[in-house]
Amino acid sequence: MVLFLGIDGGGTGCRAAIADAHGRILGEGTAGPANVNTDTEGARQNILAATNQALSGTGAAMGDLVAALGLAGANVSGVARELAAALPFARAEIVSDAITAARGALGRQDGIVAAMGTGSVFAVSRDGTLRQYGGRGFVLGDEGSGAVLGRSLLAEALRADDGFAPMTPLLQAVLEEFGGAEGVIAFATRARPVEFAAFAPRVVAQDDPAAQRLFDRAVADVSLILDVLQKGGGLPVVFLGGLASHYAARLSARWETRAPLGTGLDGAVQMARELAEGL
Amino acid sequence: MVLFLGIDGGGTGCRAAIADAHGRILGEGTAGPANVNTDTEGARQNILAATNQALSGTGAAMGDLVAALGLAGANVSGVARELAAALPFARAEIVSDAITAARGALGRQDGIVAAMGTGSVFAVSRDGTLRQYGGRGFVLGDEGSGAVLGRSLLAEALRADDGFAPMTPLLQAVLEEFGGAEGVIAFATRARPVEFAAFAPRVVAQDDPAAQRLFDRAVADVSLILDVLQKGGGLPVVFLGGLASHYAARLSARWETRAPLGTGLDGAVQMARELAEGL
């Protein structure tokens, strides 16, 4: 008996689904975070907990599973290989959660996925091969992401406070909420990306000249990346994540945009079934 | 007996100088860091240690001193007022070290100071009044600073690695030094501004197309700020800090650039003497 396990694990939680050879879902499970880079042992335990839930009632055991796991942090570190070896499955392949998200969104079709959430990451599927781009993190990359948008809003508020950029109602409101520039600086010194991302909705609302300017710049950054990834080809683009609709609205005239076919968990299950094709 | 104490205190050390009413230096001293924002009590102790050294042989006591202190972090926090009250001097005024640096660089003349080091900060002296601009820190500001230049180099290396920017010999060398993009990301996650700034010399060398592009962008950022600060006036510009010569070389055709008249410690002593004028 061989069944197929898909895992979609990120910084907030981990989901498991088990399917048969026809892709029918036989069981599902959820557990805590599975970021292989920040907590490998915690990720392993949550993966096993979610898998145990999904196994219940299937009559199968861990050793019967061919697994594909899409995990946050899997692209930044060699620990993914160690984790794969420490899992009790018949076979396990670990990829970045961006790859399983892209596979779920595109299925086997060629296309580009732009995942625009707290961070940002891109993937291209061409002739059946998926490759990840971007996703370099808040400090050096994550172009167009919520965290980067939020940071750009706070930076612009400080620039306006100095007279280096035009003051607007939104920038004035941000400064007032923090009790002035000092408060903004103090916040930025300790804030995590998700806290910067909390300001992104006020940028994408675009109801203020500063918000419009900042979102225009982010759209241009993302547009440049998509241009490079297209390589002149006319690949459809699927936007994912909390900011998906805002980017799609601005860029759908330029490229064909599509809704995702499925989730990252769907993508992981598909990849597990494909793994078995090679057995 | 009234003497005049100037203190120039930053993240790496603290210097003291005591002058008489004519500006003659009677004693000098040095001690450890004096960043009022990150360690107020440590700053107080180092200020007193440097002052004790400077007092030796003058026959004066702490209570005889009218003091002006330029301290890192003094602009970001209300603790500067607390510290001033906790010092045993006849009178003490605490300002940002950017203000004493500007006073030392310009004397009483009108002008603009652009301090381009690990961070960046600007000051304008107009009709005898000094005001600070910028200096908002690595995350949200510090335009054109060494840390921001270094970060821009690492970000560009990652973008080139993804094909989002042209690969150049410098970017290739940076990627190789870190063992690839993963190494760059791992470094950036934990690096302090001074560690990013260690890459700035390779940007300002401008012997690579990427370095030229990145420094052009930084020069444009600084130029825009100077334009705003000029307000149409023809104020002379003094560049200070490790990157001073590189910015002066690029911007001296646009504005009159000058060498600094004196140091931040000179500026603090001058400000102490001016404080007494009001007594």
Side-chain angles (χ1 to χ4, degrees):
Chain A
M1 179 182 199
V2 175
L3 293 179
F4 304 98
L5 170 68
I7 296 278
D8 181 39
T12 54
C14 166
R15 294 181 305 152
I18 291 175
D20 65 16
H22 307 287
R24 280 184 301 232
I25 301 297
L26 307 180
E28 295 191 301
T30 58
N35 183 316
V36 66
N37 195 36
T38 57
D39 180 7
T40 311
E41 176 54 21
R44 194 184 69 88
Q45 290 173 10
N46 285 321
I47 288 163
L48 295 183
T51 303
N52 260 326
Q53 273 184 37
L55 275 172
S56 122
T58 63
M62 294 269 186
D64 300 324
L65 300 172
V66 170
L69 303 89
L71 303 180
N75 57 322
V76 187
S77 147
V79 289
R81 240 188 326 270
E82 288 172 42
L83 175 59
L87 292 170
F89 307 134
R91 189 169 169 189
E93 182 173 30
I94 299 180
V95 296
S96 155
D97 56 343
I99 292 293
T100 44
R103 172 51 49 91
L106 295 168
R108 307 280 332 213
Q109 300 169 6
D110 285 359
I112 297 176
V113 170
M116 313 303 298
T118 298
S120 74
V121 61
F122 301 85
V124 178
S125 176
R126 204 175 249 118
D127 305 327
T129 303
L130 262 172
R131 194 178 150 193
Q132 179 179 332
Y133 296 85
R136 307 305 204 164
F138 177 61
V139 179
L140 297 179
D142 282 13
E143 288 85 350
S145 68
V148 167
L149 282 179
R151 180 178 61 194
S152 75
L153 178 62
L154 301 188
E156 194 74 353
L158 294 183
R159 292 175 54 77
D161 188 56
D162 263 334
F164 300 160
M167 185 59 79
T168 72
L170 173 59
L171 300 178
Q172 190 69 57
V174 166
L175 286 166
E176 280 167 15
E177 282 163 40
F178 284 101
E182 283 188 17
V184 178
I185 297 169
F187 171 83
T189 304
R190 55 166 183 70
R192 292 169 298 128
V194 68
E195 294 171 87
F196 284 99
F199 291 88
R202 298 161 79 168
V203 178
V204 298
Q206 301 173 71
D207 54 0
D208 177 274
Q212 285 162 7
R213 198 165 56 240
L214 296 171
F215 193 53
D216 283 353
R217 204 181 301 163
V219 168
D221 288 345
V222 171
S223 184
L224 185 148
I225 288 172
L226 293 174
D227 257 338
V228 170
L229 297 180
Q230 288 282 3
K231 283 189 189 163
L235 296 176
V237 178
V238 179
F239 288 100
L240 301 177
L243 300 172
S245 63
H246 301 282
Y247 282 101
R250 291 289 294 269
L251 292 168
S252 62
R254 182 123 192 246
W255 296 289
E256 180 198 342
T257 54
R258 285 195 195 158
L261 294 176
T263 66
L265 187 57
D266 297 330
V269 171
Q270 281 179 47
M271 290 178 77
R273 291 169 60 214
E274 289 161 17
L275 269 181
E277 288 168 15
L279 287 179
Chain B
M1 180 182 197
V2 175
L3 293 179
F4 305 96
L5 170 67
I7 295 278
D8 181 39
T12 55
C14 166
R15 293 182 306 152
I18 291 175
D20 65 17
H22 306 288
R24 277 184 303 233
I25 302 297
L26 307 178
E28 294 191 302
T30 59
N35 184 315
V36 67
N37 195 36
T38 58
D39 180 9
T40 311
E41 175 56 19
R44 192 185 69 86
Q45 289 174 11
N46 286 321
I47 289 162
L48 295 183
T51 303
N52 260 326
Q53 273 182 38
L55 274 173
S56 124
T58 63
M62 295 269 187
D64 300 324
L65 300 173
V66 171
L69 303 88
L71 304 180
N75 57 320
V76 187
S77 145
V79 289
R81 239 187 327 268
E82 289 173 42
L83 175 60
L87 291 171
F89 308 134
R91 187 168 171 191
E93 183 173 30
I94 299 180
V95 295
S96 155
D97 57 342
I99 292 293
T100 44
R103 173 50 51 91
L106 295 168
R108 308 277 334 211
Q109 300 169 6
D110 285 0
I112 297 176
V113 169
M116 312 303 297
T118 298
S120 75
V121 61
F122 302 85
V124 179
S125 176
R126 203 177 250 118
D127 305 326
T129 303
L130 263 171
R131 195 178 150 193
Q132 178 180 332
Y133 296 84
R136 307 305 204 164
F138 177 62
V139 178
L140 297 179
D142 281 12
E143 288 84 351
S145 68
V148 168
L149 282 179
R151 180 178 61 195
S152 74
L153 178 63
L154 300 188
E156 194 74 354
L158 293 183
R159 292 175 54 77
D161 188 55
D162 263 335
F164 300 161
M167 185 59 78
T168 71
L170 173 59
L171 300 178
Q172 191 69 57
V174 166
L175 287 166
E176 280 167 15
E177 282 163 40
F178 283 101
E182 282 188 18
V184 178
I185 296 168
F187 171 83
T189 304
R190 55 165 182 70
R192 291 168 299 129
V194 67
E195 295 171 87
F196 283 99
F199 290 89
R202 297 161 80 168
V203 178
V204 297
Q206 301 174 71
D207 54 359
D208 177 275
Q212 287 162 7
R213 197 165 56 242
L214 296 170
F215 193 53
D216 284 352
R217 206 181 298 162
V219 167
D221 288 345
V222 171
S223 185
L224 186 148
I225 288 172
L226 293 175
D227 257 338
V228 170
L229 298 180
Q230 287 282 2
K231 283 190 189 162
L235 296 177
V237 179
V238 179
F239 288 100
L240 300 177
L243 300 173
S245 62
H246 301 282
Y247 282 101
R250 290 289 294 271
L251 292 168
S252 62
R254 182 122 192 244
W255 295 290
E256 180 198 343
T257 55
R258 285 195 195 159
L261 293 176
T263 67
L265 187 57
D266 297 331
V269 170
Q270 282 178 47
M271 291 178 76
R273 290 169 60 211
E274 289 160 17
L275 269 180
E277 288 167 17
L279 286 179

